């Protein structure tokens, strides 16, 4: 265990503390290599999919490489660090699973549920950042979890209409992720 902790500490060297916490949580959800034919992402390791990264050897991807991808292509690119800590971590986690646009729309719907008037445009802009900072954080995280669960339930229902069984096999895991 100590060797694993030391390796994980080295992998997270030089990243902002908020990102370190968020990516550690994300990697706890994502796990190792999977090639499930029912998953539209194809080969997946640490949440990195062949569909999104066709030039990456997914099976050989290291944890440190996945962390570097998440920092560069997700955390920095989509401005998650500009949201309050727990909201940033939850939005980042959701974005990896449902896409950045849908994750931010869940945040914006949650903000509206907390009485904050924001446009639901799927981007982290000034209005979303200010509203997230001003909102009651406990109410916002609860509303964000509910929005995420609603998204997952809708997705599973829609996919059932497109293909036999749809995404039903993933729904329980998605709901666990939404509520954590």
């Amino acid at each position: 265990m100590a060797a694993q902790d030391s390796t994980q500490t080295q992998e997270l060297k030089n990243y902002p503390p908020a990102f370190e916490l968020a990516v550690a949580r994300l990697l706890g959800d994502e796990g190792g290599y999977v090639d499930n034919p029912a998953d539209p992402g194809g080969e997946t390791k640490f949440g990195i999919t062949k569909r999104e990264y066709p030039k990456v050897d997914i099976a050989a991807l290291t944890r440190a490489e996945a962390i570097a991808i998440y920092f560069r292509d997700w955390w920095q690119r989509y401005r998650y660090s500009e949201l309050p800590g727990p909201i940033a971590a939850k939005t980042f986690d959701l974005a990896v699973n449902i896409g950045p646009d849908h994750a931010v729309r869940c945040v914006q719907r949650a903000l509206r549920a907390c009485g904050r008037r924001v446009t639901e445009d799927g981007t982290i802009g000034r209005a979303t950042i200010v509203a997230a900072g001003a909102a009651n954080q406990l109410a916002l995280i609860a509303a964000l979890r509910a929005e995420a669960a609603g998204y997952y339930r809708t997705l599973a229902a829609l996919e059932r209409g497109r293909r036999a069984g749809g995404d039903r096999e993933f729904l329980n895991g998605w709901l666990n992720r939404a509520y954590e």
Side-chain angles (χ1 to χ4, degrees):
M1 183 74 169
Q4 182 181 9
D5 288 345
S6 173
T7 301
Q8 288 177 1
T9 300
Q10 290 172 356
E11 290 168 346
L12 295 174
K13 204 166 29 173
N14 298 321
Y15 292 112
F19 172 74
E20 290 178 5
L21 290 171
V23 79
R25 180 177 172 186
L26 170 78
L27 293 174
D29 284 338
E30 287 297 342
Y33 180 81
V34 176
D35 191 7
N36 183 340
D39 185 344
E43 282 183 282
T44 305
K45 188 172 183 184
F46 305 120
I48 306 291
T49 65
K50 192 65 166 180
R51 182 183 69 199
E52 293 293 322
Y53 293 90
K55 294 181 181 178
V56 171
D57 181 350
I58 300 297
L61 183 71
T62 68
R63 183 180 170 96
E65 291 167 335
I67 290 169
I69 288 170
Y70 281 132
F71 186 69
R72 179 192 68 230
D73 295 354
W74 296 82
W75 190 259
Q76 289 183 310
R77 179 179 177 190
Y78 296 108
R79 303 171 64 187
Y80 300 121
S81 65
E82 296 183 49
L83 296 171
I87 305 305
K90 186 68 179 169
T91 306
F92 169 64
D93 180 68
L94 289 170
V96 169
N97 193 245
I98 66 177
D101 179 78
H102 293 298
V104 174
R105 286 178 189 274
C106 284
V107 170
Q108 291 166 333
R109 288 184 199 119
L111 284 165
R112 292 173 68 188
C114 291
R116 302 291 167 178
R117 291 179 167 243
V118 294
T119 303
E120 192 180 312
D121 62 6
T123 60
I124 297 176
R126 180 161 167 66
T128 299
I129 293 165
V130 169
N136 176 304
Q137 297 301 293
L138 292 176
L140 181 54
I141 197 74
L144 179 53
R145 288 175 177 146
E147 288 295 337
Y151 177 88
Y152 287 131
R153 285 186 182 99
T154 300
L155 180 63
L158 289 173
E159 288 304 313
R160 269 196 307 274
R162 292 188 188 125
R163 62 182 197 272
D167 286 332
R168 188 123 183 103
E169 72 178 89
F170 302 116
L171 183 58
N172 284 336
W174 289 344
L175 291 175
N176 288 340
R177 189 174 193 155
Y179 290 126
E180 67 183 11

